[in-house]
Amino acid sequence: MHVFCDNVPAMMHHPFHPPAESAANSAIWYPYAQMKTMAPPLRVVSAQGPILRLDDGRELIDGISSWWSVIHGYNHPEITAAAAKQLEQVPHVMLGGLVHPAAERLAEKLTQVAPGDLNHVFFGDSGSVGVEIALKMAIQHFQNQGRKAKKKIAALHKAYHGDTCGAMSVCDPAEGMHKLFAGIVPEQFFLPAPAGGFDAERATVDQDLKKLRTLLGEHSDQIAAFIVEPLMQAAGGFNFYSPAYLQGARQLCDEHDVLLIFDEVATGFGRTGALFAADRAQVVPDIMVLGKALTAGYSGHSATIATDRVFEAFLSDDPAHAFMHGPTFMGNATACAVAIRSLEIFQQQHYLARIAAIEALLKRELFGLSSPLIRETRVLGATAVVEVHDRGALKGLQAFAADRGVWLRPFERYAYTMPGYVLTDEQLLAITGVLRDWFA
Ligand SMILES: *Cc1c(COP(=O)(O)O)cnc(C)c1O
């Protein structure tokens, strides 16, 4: 904190003085950023609906809804009121031996809207923790039945499941983290990312399923679960794939007694066009993880939901068969109150119809893009991605968008938008217009 210590003689300062606008002496350590070279972040002083207001007076339309969570826009009056009311009643109470109505109502509601017999909700405080819970749950499900060797997880290339060690172990293994943390991050089994897109040909799907069949055929004695982001792999490369792949995976997992985990942290709450990607694919997983939009961007929270079969493997007279996990803030009352109101609004306002209209607009505006820089443009639900051949083609896009009043955060070879569902057509056209102008 030397920058604030006026009484320290100048010569005692570190000889390296970064330029004033650098983040290299920042008290905040920013995510995924080289702090020495990071551009100064934009300062948001207020936000309303899909609009971010900056301290310099500028207003930006948010094209990525704060990492895909703020589906109703910022400061939604009804959700803010639900949070305020809960804060007055009880902001938080631990779930160890206590419970409160908001957690009970949310769990009830989630089991109603979740497909099949996903009837048992384990709360966590972030998506990564929700994934950790799912992995531990799958492994202990078999441990409790004496199947001690089933401790490995199968996962996909291009997957992203979070930043904690267990979650990292099932992220794309080429993404560097595996090498950096070799020996710390457990080694898992990987399959190629499903090819062919959402409308993949049957032959392409069958090829991919053949690899899953071979893996499970050879190693199902060691594999507890197969984890996927259903239909849409998000942060690992925006790969969209066929419902038929998930239907085939469901069958193969059943044949080989392997649990199927859907990480719906990104896809949940309408992002792929149905409430859950599981609905759009018509597949019921054994465990489903929700996060991000669950709490509409008001706070971190997650729900890991298990079927009766998974849950029942923990019922026993043996205390050691209990699920040994319990984040301090699991079932946080304010988060639960927000999630309940968010889901009610989603249902009452017929968001799925709005998302279908957003999908149509994104397709109409972006499928026509033609540029030698572009590798492929993909749209599914309220998600559009323009993948370029070379990441250099996106250098400067973020500032270009901000100059036009739009907040986008392209990364690697992907320019994308995952807007909230409350944007007007005009606001959506401002976002697609930025992409059209950039590639024109
Ligand atoms: C963001 C994300 C996570 C991690 O969630 P955090 O709340 O950031 O820990 C896990 N899985 C998927 C699919 C995600 O998109």
Side-chain angles (χ1 to χ4, degrees), residues 110-355:
L110 289 174
T111 60
Q112 278 163 11
V113 295
D117 66 339
L118 288 161
N119 287 333
H120 309 276
V121 180
F122 199 98
F123 290 114
D125 43 22
S126 72
S128 300
V129 168
V131 167
E132 298 286 341
I133 290 165
L135 300 180
K136 284 176 66 174
M137 206 178 256
I139 291 166
Q140 197 180 339
H141 165 87
F142 289 109
Q143 297 289 308
N144 283 356
Q145 298 171 65
R147 315 272 304 270
K148 302 287 183 198
K150 277 168 94 75
K151 281 184 178 164
K152 292 275 183 200
I153 308 292
L156 294 172
H157 283 259
K158 292 200 179 203
Y160 176 79
H161 294 291
D163 289 346
T164 51
C165 280
M168 275 202 297
S169 79
V170 286
C171 291
D172 187 308
E175 279 300 310
M177 292 297 193
H178 286 251
K179 216 178 281 167
L180 197 55
F181 294 100
I184 308 293
V185 169
E187 280 182 37
Q188 313 288 19
F189 290 105
F190 282 93
L191 290 160
F198 184 79
D199 298 309
E201 312 250 320
R202 186 70 233 188
T204 309
V205 174
D206 286 343
Q207 277 244 312
D208 283 325
L209 286 173
K210 204 169 137 195
K211 292 166 197 154
L212 177 60
R213 179 179 291 115
T214 304
L215 175 70
L216 297 186
E218 286 171 4
H219 297 289
S220 68
D221 57 328
Q222 288 167 267
I223 298 175
F226 178 38
I227 186 169
V228 298
E229 296 155 274
L231 298 183
M232 185 181 88
Q233 297 185 292
F238 292 104
N239 181 48
F240 303 162
Y241 62 94
S242 167
Y245 182 85
L246 295 171
Q247 290 154 10
R250 175 71 277 178
Q251 209 173 338
L252 289 169
C253 284
D254 286 342
E255 278 169 31
H256 291 93
D257 203 11
V258 165
L259 298 180
L260 181 60
I261 302 172
F262 280 3
D263 174 356
E264 294 231 24
V265 171
T267 54
F269 303 99
R271 192 51 70 184
T272 69
L275 183 59
F276 301 115
D279 301 330
R280 188 146 187 187
Q282 301 201 303
V283 173
V284 183
D286 300 292
I287 301 174
M288 181 160 96
V289 188
L290 302 175
K292 289 198 166 97
L294 171 69
T295 35
Y298 275 68
S299 70
H301 222 65
S302 66
T304 302
I305 314 180
T307 58
D308 292 339
R309 172 190 163 208
V310 171
F311 181 73
E312 278 158 16
F314 291 80
L315 300 180
S316 164
D317 293 324
D318 183 350
H321 284 193
F323 188 48
M324 299 307 277
H325 203 102
T328 304
F329 292 110
M330 70 180 292
N332 172 266
T334 312
C336 289
V338 160
I340 292 165
R341 196 72 201 103
S342 170
L343 190 49
E344 284 170 355
I345 293 168
F346 195 105
Q347 293 172 319
Q348 289 159 5
Q349 309 276 317
H350 305 292
Y351 270 29
L352 292 181
R354 179 59 193 148
I355 292 163

Side-chain angles (χ1 to χ4, degrees), residues 270-273 355-356 358-359 362 379-384 417-421:
R271 192 51 70 184
T272 69
I355 292 163
I358 293 172
E359 179 173 25
L362 293 172
V379 173
L380 185 65
T383 303
T417 179
M418 288 167 87
Y421 309 140

